[in-house]
Amino acid sequence: MDSHPSFAPSGTQMQVPGMLDANLRVRGRVEYAMDAKLPGMIHAKLLRSPHAHARLVSIDASRARALPGVIAVITGPDLANRDDIYPYYGPIFRDQSVLVMDKARFVGDPVAAVAAIDLDTAQAALDLIDVEWEELEPVLSLDDALAAGSIVHDEPPRLGQTFADIIVRTEANSNICNHFKLRKGNIEDGFAQADHVFEDVFTSPPVQHVPMETHNCVAWWENGVLRLISATQMPFSVRAQLAEIFKVPQTRVRITVPTLGGGYGAKTYAKVEPVTAVLAQVTGRPVRLHLTREEEFVTITKHGMQIRMKTGVTRDGKIVARHSTCYFNTGAYADIGPRLIKNGGFGTGGPHKIDNVWVDSYAVYTNLAPAGAFRGYGVSQAAWAYESQMDMIADRLGWDPYEFRMKNLLNEGEPVMTGEPMYDAHFKDLLATAAERIGWDANVKAVRHGNKVRGKGLSVIIKASVTPSTSSASVKLNEDGSLQILSSAVEMGQGAETTLSVLGGEVLDLRLDQVSITHPDTDFTPYDQGTSSSRNTYSMGTAVKMAVEDIKQQLFRLASDDLEVAIGDLEVFRGRVQVKGVPERSVGYGDLVRKARAGNLLATAVYASNGGLDPETGQGIGSVHWHQAAGAAEVEVDLDTGRIEVLKYHAGVYAGRIANPAQAELQTEGNIAFGLGQALYEEMIYDGGQLQNGNLADYMIVSIEDMPRQISLDVLERHESHDIHGIGETSLPPCMPAVGNAVFRATGVRILDLPITPEKVLRGLRANARPQAHVQEIDA
Amino acid sequence: MTAEDTVAGVTARAVDGDGRISITLQVNGREQRIQVRPHHTLLEVLRNELGLTGPREGCGVGMCGACTVLVDGRPVSGCLLPAALAEGHELTTIEGLEGPNGELHPIQQAFVDHTGFQCSYCTPGFILTSKALLAEQPDASRDEARAYLAGNLCRCGSYVKILDSVMDAKERLKG
Ligand code: FES
Ligand code: FES
């Protein structure tokens, strides 16, 4: 592994606000992509398949085209006939067509697109498109998919340029989209050493990201260049995809990205951009496509998942073997599923030292909405399984779940599931603090007040950051000493631009108002792999610091001549280079730039992390560093209604060095809200392939009233650490098992299938004539 | 909250060739005369005709509060209210809260000081609803604020700091 580049010491005058542009934000004046207005702009609407799986027999848009106000209608077959367009996209497999050309693969698959002078007209035109479908046997469940009676993608996958770390293993004539393997130690020997073996099956449903700002973009063509303003987390990935579709060099596509109204993984890779760009090309006008909430629900989702997990333990409480079989439902199109199954798959190894691990993780096609990146990236599903099972094992053997975890959590230097040594291990500290804050008592499982019973639960997780990955940044130091950062990091509420300004500015000991940062613009800001995977602060932060460090060295060289001292005797202080400890002998940055007649000082830096896994064993470098988090919940369950209230929640996360304290807290609190929603409410409910609750009246997300009244945070910092851990996702996966474990201790009801609804709890209560021996009665 | 009580006030009026009617709205203290289609919501009209981008659509069905507009001081979902029914009422959007030179309202300042947001898409709605809360209940407790703000959703989950902001704003408004 690369050694970690070291960061410059913290500046002395940097004041770190929560958000640079807070003033604009509270005035409602910050601009999102959807606020862009272009002269002559027209509006797009999509006609979507009403069937989960159907062959397109014919489509006739002539009536729609004749409607006054309609500028253009394009259909899938129109695209199939154009040889100047390669009509497919997808980050790994090009398995999604811009519009359905042969068959629809989920309810909501777009088959035609209308551009009209206003939305009313575009909407009216949709009703005038005549489509004939021939329904096919839909693949609606994992069982359907594995039975392979019906095949979602009949042709072998079209592979394109993709990421270095992707392992592709597909099977012909099957619905298996990809397969990841991990083989560590010797699984037979491991189970042979075990005194007890437990096997359980856990499921997580598909859920949606629900960014408050739905997917949208505006596209137009200007002198042969495709321009887009898009709400995307990945401008460079979208640019590459569009260049491929239109068969033009990447320089002929230019994407700018304003601030996003939330992303959470939904806005990774091309989504609404390809079809909008085609409409813009056909009409010669700027075209906006802005999805409705209902459309957003079927655009991209979290993978529904089933994990069969078999774990062997010795009688003294050591885990010696784990065998997991994971099926991730990737829906109709692969999106990033073929890679996500890797993280979710090796993730089932958990934060424990287990010498023998065997994982088969599959991405499976079905006729449901496509699944892709979602905050947690497969680890939520994995952790739901292993952290629930930890408590189940402890309960069956009469152990304290806290002690059982402590006995098995990874220590410094011990190998993680991918075989590399764990360094900077803090699992035990995080768990100890969580237990203390929640008031963990091994002897009290539940406390009953009348018809309400309380219980507590714990969990600990490990998560990778995408590895290998690449970020680059350019910086300019102007002749007034101000610093400009050109970065393609996307601001989506996580404070990326603020944090990067702080990290860059402090290298030169500048004030924040002397630093500016651009929004991504693929013509000007250098390459970044994407703002996802909690990688930005670390990866882009490192690139920015390296570039500013380069500027600092340039300044030292100039100042060394100017002040006639050796470079080693210089330091920066408040915007000036000075002889160490002698402020009287100093020179301002601006003076140095001017004297050098440089106009500005320039520097560019690339940070690329190394790693990768062996395709047969899944062993190697799984992550440049390992994210670590713990959770603890106290719940109260109403025994009459099954209703669950989370009274207290504690989130612990290891941050290395904290770059922006307000944002670190906000992201961690945000993870609690996200996690409790997935623990208790969130589930996309399908009936015959039709989504039943794809709107915010029927799909519940956490409101302010659902938040626990008591929340505590432990954003663990190690001051001497040079390593910044992104924490955008890490404290999310512990939420679901912490709540599940708390509900179990309270009621004796073990829920294996998320979400933990009152109905399931009541059913469990009825099924259990549970021994109440350990319950402590409190007078109501 | 609905605007049913205003329905009776609407009378039949002339529709132009484009299916539009002429209405007059009082927005942030200014009178605005505009042509709208009768089914257009207040949210659509504020954004598309009047260029006010603070009110935003999050759900389109009255569940998220991102489109909140104060109608005579009370929070209303702009996505549910036909624009024509807003005639004759005082409408306040987030753009109407700041001073003439962009000076922040004390509630806005509290949201800045506590960073009561992440992506801030929901922020105008929360600030306007908080304004109505503190007008109705100047001594609102944290629990009362939770109940009042339950119709505003923040997917980033900035709730803890939103409540911190509102509780602080309460003190600031008392001066
Ligand atoms: S958009 Fe109006 S309440 Fe959600
Ligand atoms: S801050 Fe993003 S939705 Fe509230």
Side-chain angles (χ1 to χ4, degrees):
Chain A
M1 195 186 309
D2 269 355
S3 67
H4 290 263
S6 64
F7 293 115
S10 237
T12 51
Q13 61 167 346
M14 186 64 79
Q15 301 282 319
V16 184
M19 196 81 98
L20 278 176
D21 53 0
N23 185 287
L24 283 180
R25 289 174 181 270
V26 298
R27 294 161 66 207
R29 295 186 189 277
V30 72
E31 270 197 30
Y32 301 94
M34 64 177 199
D35 296 325
K37 271 202 172 152
L38 281 102
M41 187 171 79
I42 55 179
H43 301 268
K45 275 277 176 195
L46 302 178
L47 182 70
R48 294 171 177 273
S49 165
H51 305 295
H53 197 190
R55 190 160 304 286
L56 178 61
V57 178
S58 69
I59 182 162
D60 179 359
S62 50
R63 291 196 300 140
R65 289 191 175 105
L67 185 71
V70 169
I71 314 288
V73 182
I74 51 168
T75 67
D78 294 343
L79 294 179
N81 294 330
R82 280 185 57 175
D83 27 302
D84 57 333
I85 280 184
Y86 174 72
Y88 301 100
Y89 67 105
I92 298 172
F93 303 148
R94 308 296 192 255
D95 61 355
Q96 194 156 8
S97 49
V98 175
L99 292 166
V100 166
M101 298 189 300
D102 54 348
K103 64 176 187 174
R105 294 184 175 85
F106 68 98
V107 175
D109 213 351
V111 64
V114 174
I117 50 162
D118 59 28
L119 278 176
D120 291 338
T121 309
Q123 183 66 46
L126 293 185
D127 295 337
L128 301 176
I129 302 175
D130 303 301
V131 192
E132 194 184 331
W133 298 102
E134 175 198 328
E135 283 192 67
L136 301 168
E137 184 64 28
V139 177
L140 299 178
S141 65
L142 193 55
D143 288 345
D144 287 357
L146 297 179
S150 185
I151 303 292
V152 179
H153 288 271
D154 326 75
E155 294 163 18
R158 277 172 294 269
L159 274 167
Q161 278 287 59
T162 187
F163 304 96
D165 64 312
I166 301 284
I167 302 162
V168 174
R169 197 180 279 116
T170 52
E171 295 174 24
N173 220 358
S174 107
N175 289 310
I176 302 286
C177 154
N178 202 12
H179 176 191
F180 166 79
K181 297 187 208 174
L182 184 142
R183 312 287 184 247
K184 180 187 183 209
N186 182 318
I187 196 72
E188 281 87 23
D189 287 0
F191 281 112
Q193 291 162 37
D195 298 304
H196 308 277
V197 175
F198 299 95
E199 188 167 350
D200 304 283
V201 177
F202 302 87
T203 71
S204 305
V207 305
Q208 220 270 331
H209 314 66
V210 192
M212 295 309 289
E213 176 203 30
T214 55
H215 281 82
N216 69 92
C217 70
V218 46
W220 70 104
W221 290 76
E222 198 172 88
N223 305 324
V225 174
L226 169 60
R227 305 271 322 257
L228 280 107
I229 299 172
S230 181
T232 177
Q233 293 173 237
M234 293 192 173
F236 283 89
S237 165
V238 174
R239 181 178 79 161
Q241 201 93 71
L242 291 169
E244 187 178 291
I245 289 171
F246 291 100
K247 304 183 180 178
V248 297
Q250 293 187 2
T251 49
R252 300 265 294 278
V253 181
R254 176 176 172 195
I255 300 178
T256 53
V257 184
T259 196
L260 266 54
Y264 326 113
K267 295 170 181 168
T268 53
Y269 311 109
K271 295 282 179 289
V272 290
E273 296 88 352
V275 71
T276 315
V278 174
L279 278 175
Q281 191 197 39
V282 170
T283 61
R285 291 175 68 168
V287 178
R288 145 151 313 130
L289 176 61
H290 188 175
L291 299 187
T292 63
R293 178 58 58 196
E294 290 71 15
E295 291 179 294
E296 177 71 24
F297 268 99
V298 295
T299 296
I300 194 74
T301 69
K302 175 187 174 189
H303 285 80
M305 189 230 43
Q306 183 199 87
I307 296 183
R308 175 175 294 276
M309 183 172 281
K310 184 170 147 191
T311 301
V313 294
T314 61
R315 69 175 63 82
D316 58 351
K318 277 296 302 152
I319 306 175
V320 286
R322 175 168 291 158
H323 184 158
S324 308
T325 309
C326 317
Y327 292 102
F328 285 86
N329 182 343
T330 208
Y333 299 104
D335 199 86
I336 199 64
R339 179 207 250 167
L340 184 140
I341 58 160
K342 176 185 75 170
N343 297 58
F346 70 60
T348 58
H352 314 113
K353 179 177 179 290
I354 311 177
D355 291 339
N356 308 290
V357 183
W358 179 288
V359 180
D360 288 299
S361 183
Y362 301 92
V364 177
Y365 282 124
T366 59
N367 291 119
L368 301 179
F374 184 101
R375 197 175 195 176
Y377 209 68
V379 173
S380 290
Q381 294 96 321
W384 168 243
Y386 65 73
E387 280 303 273
S388 295
Q389 198 185 42
M390 287 299 280
D391 267 44
M392 292 164 74
I393 294 172
D395 181 68
R396 287 157 180 158
L397 297 176
W399 298 336
D400 172 7
Y402 173 79
E403 288 302 335
F404 179 41
R405 284 189 173 80
M406 279 299 191
K407 193 167 282 180
N408 287 286
L409 285 171
L410 286 160
N411 292 307
E412 195 69 20
E414 289 177 343
V416 301
M417 69 302 253
T418 50
E420 70 219 70
M422 181 70 204
Y423 77 96
D424 218 3
H426 296 278
F427 299 109
K428 292 183 175 177
D429 310 342
L430 290 166
L431 179 61
T433 305
E436 185 202 312
R437 296 277 182 87
I438 206 79
W440 181 259
D441 180 344
N443 299 316
V444 180
K445 281 196 181 171
V447 177
R448 187 169 172 160
H449 315 241
N451 67 342
K452 291 192 172 167
V453 59
R454 295 181 176 186
K456 296 170 183 174
L458 301 171
S459 67
V460 191
I461 67 101
I462 185 168
K463 185 184 176 300
S465 186
V466 58
T467 303
S469 84
T470 302
S471 289
S472 57
S474 296
V475 294
K476 303 195 249 185
L477 187 75
N478 300 312
E479 48 180 25
D480 63 351
S482 64
L483 181 73
Q484 233 154 356
I485 301 172
L486 303 180
S487 144
S488 296
V490 175
E491 175 59 70
M492 49 191 185
Q494 84 284 40
E497 293 180 351
T498 308
T499 301
L500 294 172
S501 301
V502 168
L503 291 174
E506 69 184 10
V507 174
L508 292 179
D509 196 10
L510 292 169
R511 292 187 316 272
L512 204 49
D513 63 4
Q514 295 170 301
V515 184
S516 81
I517 183 162
T518 52
H519 288 315
D521 177 336
T522 55
D523 264 14
F524 299 104
T525 57
Y527 177 84
D528 182 38
Q529 188 162 317
T531 306
S532 65
S533 193
S534 306
R535 62 185 289 283
N536 176 68
T537 311
Y538 172 71
S539 189
M540 182 59 81
T542 302
V544 167
K545 298 209 78 148
M546 287 164 66
V548 184
E549 193 63 49
D550 180 332
I551 296 271
K552 183 163 126 183
Q553 294 311 318
Q554 295 182 40
L555 287 168
F556 281 174
R557 281 194 293 277
L558 295 170
S560 155
D561 293 345
D562 195 70
L563 299 172
E564 297 178 334
V565 282
I567 286 177
D569 292 330
L570 294 170
E571 63 183 1
V572 293
F573 183 71
R574 309 216 163 171
R576 300 177 75 80
V577 180
Q578 68 182 24
V579 179
K580 278 185 184 156
V582 191
E584 310 81 71
R585 292 193 60 203
S586 70
V587 52
Y589 300 159
D591 293 334
L592 288 170
V593 176
R594 278 192 303 275
K595 282 183 194 165
R597 296 186 49 225
N600 49 207
L601 300 186
L602 297 174
T604 292
V606 179
Y607 175 69
S609 63
N610 291 322
L613 301 177
D614 180 272
E616 289 308 313
T617 65
Q619 300 292 285
I621 303 295
S623 187
V624 62
H625 56 204
W626 291 92
H627 299 320
Q628 308 162 53
E634 180 174 9
V635 302
E636 182 174 87
V637 182
D638 185 320
L639 296 173
D640 296 332
T641 63
R643 189 173 172 276
I644 298 155
E645 185 179 352
V646 180
L647 301 173
K648 261 191 213 172
Y649 192 86
H650 169 86
V653 57
Y654 179 60
R657 205 203 122 189
I658 297 175
N660 185 333
Q663 286 298 336
E665 287 182 19
L666 277 160
Q667 289 197 42
T668 305
E669 289 161 1
N671 277 322
I672 297 172
F674 238 73
L676 295 183
Q678 286 169 66
L680 299 174
Y681 317 123
E682 292 188 43
E683 174 173 24
M684 292 174 67
I685 299 169
Y686 284 98
D687 182 7
Q690 307 278 343
L691 181 60
Q692 302 297 299
N693 60 343
N695 62 72
L696 287 186
D698 296 316
Y699 184 97
M700 287 275 288
I701 67 171
V702 161
S703 83
I704 203 163
E705 271 202 301
D706 303 317
M707 287 297 276
R709 282 191 168 69
Q710 296 179 56
I711 287 181
S712 63
L713 306 180
D714 168 27
V715 183
L716 188 63
E717 187 168 20
R718 202 164 61 86
H719 292 284
E720 64 279 21
S721 175
H722 291 162
D723 205 7
I724 296 182
H725 281 243
I727 57 169
E729 307 168 86
T730 319
S731 50
L732 167 60
C735 292
M736 291 74 95
V739 172
N741 291 338
V743 168
F744 175 78
R745 277 176 81 85
T747 62
V749 175
R750 171 57 64 181
I751 306 293
L752 303 174
D753 307 306
L754 282 172
I756 308 162
T757 60
E759 230 178 293
K760 291 178 192 167
V761 172
L762 274 185
R763 225 181 294 135
L765 283 169
R766 257 177 243 138
N768 281 9
R770 120 172 251 248
Q772 297 284 313
H774 64 284
V775 175
Q776 180 183 316
E777 292 282 345
I778 299 233
D779 289 333
Chain B
M1 230 162 289
T2 68
E4 261 146 44
D5 51 344
T6 68
V7 174
V10 177
T11 48
R13 58 181 97 191
V15 174
D16 70 11
D18 192 32
R20 292 176 190 260
I21 55 174
S22 170
I23 64 169
T24 305
L25 297 179
Q26 299 286 338
V27 184
N28 299 328
R30 278 181 54 198
E31 190 154 298
Q32 308 264 13
R33 191 168 180 78
I34 37 182
Q35 305 292 115
V36 302
R37 294 212 173 104
H39 67 274
H40 282 165
T41 64
L42 179 60
L43 174 64
E44 290 170 299
V45 168
L46 291 172
R47 288 186 61 85
N48 303 336
E49 312 298 330
L50 299 179
L52 296 171
T53 52
R56 298 161 186 152
E57 178 160 317
C59 67
V61 293
M63 297 303 293
C64 76
C67 62
T68 299
V69 178
L70 296 182
V71 178
D72 299 329
R74 302 174 65 204
V76 166
S77 292
C79 68
L80 293 182
L81 182 68
L85 297 190
E87 274 196 315
H89 298 274
E90 271 304 326
L91 307 177
T92 310
T93 68
I94 192 72
E95 289 87 350
L97 238 58
E98 63 192 52
N101 300 311
E103 305 90 345
L104 298 186
H105 184 280
I107 301 177
Q108 291 174 311
Q109 190 60 52
F111 272 75
V112 170
D113 294 347
H114 294 269
T115 320
F117 52 83
Q118 290 168 69
C119 78
S120 76
Y121 195 88
C122 65
T123 307
F126 270 100
I127 290 177
L128 290 168
T129 309
S130 302
K131 182 166 188 291
L133 161 73
L134 295 174
E136 284 174 37
Q137 307 173 48
D139 292 308
S141 66
R142 210 172 161 96
D143 262 8
E144 286 166 333
R146 274 168 66 108
Y148 200 95
L149 295 169
N152 289 77
L153 297 175
C154 172
R155 186 54 157 174
C156 296
S158 312
Y159 294 128
V160 176
K161 296 198 172 19
I162 289 172
L163 275 177
D164 291 346
S165 308
V166 176
M167 289 297 98
D168 187 10
K170 172 179 79 173
E171 300 307 325
R172 292 174 196 227
L173 286 172
K174 284 193 211 158

